Amino acid sequence: MGVVEGVAGRPLTMLGVGVVRTPADAELGQRLVAVEQGIERWLDEYRPECVAVERVFSQHNVRTVMGTAQASAVAMLCAARRGIPVALHTPSEVKAAVTGSGRADKAQVGAMVTRLLRLDAPPKPADAADALALAICHIWRAPAQNRLQQAVALHTSKGRTG
């Protein structure tokens, strides 16, 4: 979980970073409840305007994909329940946004997050740095995505009336 404040073109500020942990030996349903409770605590504390979630993509390890997809769905559900908009970004979009390369490794992402947020050291574990990178990506990409959506909507509505 990572909370970043700011707007594109201005210095960004990290407000919070952490990881919601669940017992590896717990039953899946209980782990998902623990994830939900952790996300709800973060939403209560930080009251974000938007929630950015990693878009799950096909990996070789189906088990990892399923776990990520389930946790992502819980985050989307928690945000939707509160009326908070949700944005999805692929890992390669996030890497490209913060490092300039969609193939950057975890160390490169961590180094850039550290630099962009003016931190003393990269956030640990790497998943925490990834969450901050996702937030940075969304802050930087959201204005362009909103303009694109507005243009498509305008073009579509003109086509229907014209």
Side-chain angles (χ1 to χ4, degrees):
M1 306 284 292
V3 183
V4 176
E5 182 177 67
V7 295
R10 298 278 179 123
L12 303 173
T13 303
M14 179 187 77
L15 300 181
V17 66
V19 177
V20 175
R21 297 197 185 280
T22 63
D25 60 346
E27 186 251 342
L28 175 61
Q30 295 299 20
R31 292 183 80 182
L32 293 175
V33 168
V35 168
E36 178 198 26
Q37 291 169 342
I39 291 169
E40 290 290 351
R41 281 191 297 273
W42 277 77
L43 294 175
D44 285 342
E45 182 173 350
Y46 293 102
R47 307 234 179 255
E49 294 175 10
C50 180
V51 170
V53 176
E54 182 178 295
R55 183 183 300 272
V56 179
F57 68 104
S58 177
Q59 287 180 330
H60 299 297
N61 187 342
V62 174
R63 191 170 179 171
T64 300
V65 170
M66 288 303 297
T68 302
Q70 291 161 340
S72 295
V74 171
M76 289 186 277
L77 173 69
C78 291
R81 190 184 290 141
R82 293 168 180 247
I84 302 170
V86 175
L88 300 171
H89 300 281
T90 66
S92 60
E93 286 175 332
V94 173
K95 291 174 186 179
V98 299
T99 71
S101 169
R103 296 180 180 264
D105 63 23
K106 289 217 179 258
Q108 291 170 305
V109 171
M112 283 306 296
V113 164
T114 302
R115 184 172 167 205
L116 292 167
L117 296 176
R118 301 171 315 281
L119 305 175
D120 294 332
K124 300 285 185 197
D127 290 340
D130 290 346
L132 292 170
L134 181 60
I136 293 166
C137 171
H138 182 70
I139 289 170
W140 287 351
R141 290 186 169 223
Q145 288 174 334
N146 291 341
R147 284 192 302 273
L148 181 61
Q149 288 171 348
Q150 290 169 354
V152 168
L154 181 63
H155 178 73
T156 304
S157 68
K158 282 184 177 180
R160 289 186 188 147
T161 60

